[in-house]
């Protein structure tokens, strides 16, 4: 059906809808917990870097003054030694569906991917002469692909590539076609960093297990925004970052999940003193800890573990299910605004229309988007650009309003219309 309304009427009805959705939003009050960013009228990049909470500066100052400044090195014994495991348990409980003792906070996502991939392939080599392949998809985040290639080269294994649909992402059928009794590990992203496609974690994990392979998930774009049940779904290992929907701040350390039955069996390669059975034995030989601490290597970045704690409180208060509900509604609203405002200008939708199969960002494409993004950033409208011509509208349910989402879409329209080619 052709829309015969004029542009101003369409814009007004979207503005009214945004206001109505904000007014009915049960999570609306949480917006106030986030620090103001003067000059920014739409922040649509929480899928890359979450905003700080208002009380983060005071908490960081108190940490420097008290925990570090006054308690000094005593704080290691009093609280910091166990923080990587305690915080891991918290992330596991609040966002991952993981019972305690299986998640730890350490390193960057990239380093943890290396540790877990290497552990999985080493295990395959020690237990089977025939599992020689690591299955990964060509659209996975660069670090995942690069690590896979590096680890395969180190172990003499082969990388088998899945070529999924760029909008719908990896399907079970793609995985089933790529795996066999030769597969040691399947490594995929839960939410595709470009299209936002949400993979069927339980279905794919089961398929991997049916051929005897281990399954690893990258949760960077789903932790804190998409509920999951790592324990119940049988996931073997997972990694994720804490600076996106967990708002830990730039470079805050990542988390790794290793299923209990693999602990003490799989061994990661960077065997530093923090992963030793007895950290302070300082003995001549290395013996790995038998529990999740074995994934650590060196002194953990305690200062960088502070900011995410406030966000975990907020997620727990709001509940991950309510967050997902708002995320579905926000991305639906963004798609509707796209349909009415941007599709007529030739902008392509690069995410699926089925909200249940999306994470929390919507990607749109246009040849002029690189220049448009530069203009938007200087005007205080902040989505992010992804090569070659995509803009991701990252909608972080606790900190993003419907009105803000619409402000972003309208600004993309205005920038495109006035863009001097
Ligand atoms: C899906 C995904 N995996 C891995 C990474 C790499 O994380 P890091 O740079 O913290 O190692 C990122 C970073 O944005 C990501 O989006």
């Amino acid at each position: 059906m052709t829309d015969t309304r004029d542009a101003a009427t369409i814009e007004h009805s979207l503005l009214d809808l945004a206001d109505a959705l904000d007014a009915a939003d049960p999570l609306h009050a949480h917006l106030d917990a986030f620090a103001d960013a003067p000059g920014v009228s739409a922040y649509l990049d929480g899928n890359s870097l979450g905003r700080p909470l208002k009380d983060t500066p005071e908490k960081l100052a108190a940490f420097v003054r008290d925990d570090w400044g006054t308690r000094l090195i005593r704080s290691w014994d009093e609280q910091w030694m166990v923080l990587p495991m305690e915080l891991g348990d918290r992330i596991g409980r609040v966002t991952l569906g993981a019972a305690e003792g299986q998640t730890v906070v350490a390193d960057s996502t990239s380093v943890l991917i290396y540790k877990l991939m290497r552990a999985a392939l080493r295990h395959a080599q020690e237990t089977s002469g025939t599992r020689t392949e690591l299955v990964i998809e060509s659209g996975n985040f660069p670090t995942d692909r690069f690590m896979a290639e590096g680890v395969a080269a180190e172990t003499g294994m082969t990388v088998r590539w899945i070529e999924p649909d760029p909008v719908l992402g990896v399907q079970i059928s793609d995985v089933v076609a790529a795996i066999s009794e030769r597969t040691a590990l399947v490594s995929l992203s839960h939410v595709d960093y470009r299209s936002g496609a949400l993979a069927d974690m339980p279905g794919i994990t089961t398929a991997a297990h049916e051929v005897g392979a281990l399954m690893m998930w990258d949760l960077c774009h789903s932790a804190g925004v998409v509920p999951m049940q790592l324990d119940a779904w049988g996931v073997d290992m997972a990694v994720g970052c804490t600076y996106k929907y967990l708002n830990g701040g730039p470079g805050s350390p990542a988390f790794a999940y290793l299923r209990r039955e693999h602990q003490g069996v799989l061994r990661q390669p960077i065997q530093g003193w923090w992963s030793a059975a007895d950290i302070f034995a300082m003995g001549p030989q290395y013996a790995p800890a038998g529990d999740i601490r074995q994934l650590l290597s060196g002194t953990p970045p305690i200062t960088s573990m502070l900011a995410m704690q406030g966000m975990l409180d907020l997620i727990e208060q709001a509940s991950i299910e309510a967050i997902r509900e708002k995320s579905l509604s926000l991305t639906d609203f963004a798609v509707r605004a796209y349909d009415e405002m941007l599709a007529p200008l030739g902008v392509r939708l690069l995410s699926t229309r089925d909200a249940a199969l999306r994470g929390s960002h919507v990607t749109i494409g246009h040849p002029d988007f690189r220049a448009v993004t530069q203009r938007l950033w200087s005007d205080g409208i902040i989505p992010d650009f992804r090569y070659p011509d995509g803009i991701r509208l990252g909608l972080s349910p606790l900190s993003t309003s419907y009105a803000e989402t619409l402000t972003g879409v309208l600004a993309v329209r205005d920038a495109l219309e006035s863009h001097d080619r």
Side-chain angles (χ1 to χ4, degrees):
M1 199 173 72
T2 315
D3 193 339
T4 53
R5 297 172 300 164
D6 65 31
T9 312
I10 295 173
E11 183 172 332
H12 274 119
S13 72
L14 279 172
L15 286 164
D16 287 346
L17 179 60
D19 286 347
L21 288 167
D22 275 324
D25 172 14
L27 302 184
H28 193 74
H30 291 298
L31 297 174
D32 195 43
F34 295 87
D36 294 328
V40 174
S41 47
Y43 186 63
L44 305 178
D45 217 349
N47 60 322
S48 256
L49 180 67
R51 306 175 76 126
L53 292 167
K54 274 187 183 144
D55 63 5
T56 300
E58 172 45 31
K59 282 191 171 158
L60 287 171
F63 169 83
V64 175
R65 191 180 56 233
D66 305 330
D67 302 3
W68 177 16
T70 306
R71 298 309 299 160
L72 293 165
I73 202 165
R74 292 170 292 186
S75 278
W76 277 111
D77 287 343
E78 290 164 1
Q79 49 173 325
W80 298 337
M81 291 291 297
V82 291
L83 188 59
M85 282 67 73
E86 278 184 3
L87 204 46
D89 282 346
R90 197 124 194 262
I91 292 172
R93 178 165 54 79
V94 174
T95 71
L96 308 180
E100 59 186 33
Q102 302 177 100
T103 311
V104 74
V105 176
D107 308 315
S108 64
T109 310
S110 301
V111 170
L112 289 177
I113 289 173
Y114 174 75
K115 287 179 172 181
L116 287 176
M117 273 185 182
R118 191 72 173 73
L121 297 198
R122 171 188 193 157
H123 180 68
Q125 286 183 319
E126 285 169 358
T127 55
S128 142
T130 54
R131 292 198 182 274
T132 55
E133 292 181 358
L134 192 175
V135 172
I136 188 164
E137 56 131 334
S138 58
N140 211 337
F141 191 81
T143 218
D144 302 61
R145 293 184 276 110
F146 300 162
M147 289 293 172
E149 289 179 319
V151 166
E154 277 177 19
T155 53
M157 294 219 180
T158 305
V159 179
R160 181 173 286 277
W161 296 96
I162 293 173
E163 303 286 344
D165 179 278
V167 171
L168 298 176
V170 183
Q171 307 295 308
I172 295 192
S173 51
D174 298 327
V175 176
V176 168
I179 57 178
S180 68
E181 69 288 344
R182 290 188 303 281
T183 312
L185 177 69
V186 180
S187 175
L188 298 172
S189 282
H190 190 201
V191 169
D192 186 294
Y193 78 104
R194 279 187 294 204
S195 67
L198 177 67
D200 176 355
M201 188 189 283
I204 291 174
T205 301
T206 302
H209 288 167
E210 276 166 6
V211 299
L214 291 172
M215 184 74 223
M216 167 158 140
W217 288 97
D218 180 332
L219 309 177
C220 281
H221 286 274
S222 57
V225 77
V226 180
M228 56 194 105
Q229 296 296 332
L230 298 188
D231 286 354
W233 295 343
V235 170
D236 298 293
M237 45 183 71
V239 293
C241 69
T242 61
Y243 47 75
K244 300 183 192 293
Y245 297 105
L246 297 179
N247 303 54
S252 60
F255 65 84
Y257 166 92
L258 182 63
R259 194 172 192 77
R260 194 178 300 279
E261 71 199 55
H262 299 314
Q263 294 173 21
V265 180
L266 267 59
R267 275 181 63 177
Q268 62 96 352
I270 307 179
Q271 42 188 54
W273 65 308
W274 274 73
S275 67
D278 182 347
I279 299 185
F280 293 104
M282 310 274 172
Q285 242 129 39
Y286 175 77
D291 59 10
I292 192 68
R293 191 168 50 75
Q294 205 254 314
L295 290 188
L296 299 182
S297 293
T299 306
I302 299 297
T303 314
S304 301
M305 293 184 192
L306 289 175
M308 71 179 87
Q309 297 182 39
M311 188 62 179
L312 285 166
D313 290 342
L314 214 59
I315 294 174
E316 196 161 19
Q317 239 176 295
S319 95
I320 190 78
E321 289 75 22
I323 289 170
R324 173 65 174 160
E325 211 166 303
K326 179 169 175 190
S327 161
L328 293 172
S329 165
L330 267 175
T331 54
D332 263 347
F333 179 67
V335 171
R336 174 159 175 184
Y338 153 82
D339 279 336
E340 301 196 355
M341 292 287 155
L342 302 179
L345 301 180
V347 177
R348 290 141 26 234
L349 181 63
L350 303 177
S351 296
T352 173
R353 288 184 173 276
D354 185 343
L357 300 179
R358 279 197 302 260
S360 207
H361 66 269
V362 170
T363 306
I364 51 183
H366 189 282
D368 295 338
F369 271 176
R370 185 188 289 276
V372 160
T373 306
Q374 277 170 3
R375 154 98 187 269
L376 292 174
W377 276 44
S378 59
D379 290 348
I381 308 284
I382 312 196
D384 76 357
F385 177 77
R386 275 292 170 270
Y387 181 84
D389 65 355
I391 277 182
R392 296 188 305 186
L393 305 170
L395 308 171
S396 189
L398 290 177
S399 61
T400 311
S401 70
Y402 294 88
E404 187 179 12
T405 304
L406 185 56
T407 300
V409 172
L410 292 176
V412 173
R413 177 201 62 183
D414 294 346
L416 258 185
E417 281 180 342
S418 65
H419 181 58
D420 186 15
R421 286 170 190 239

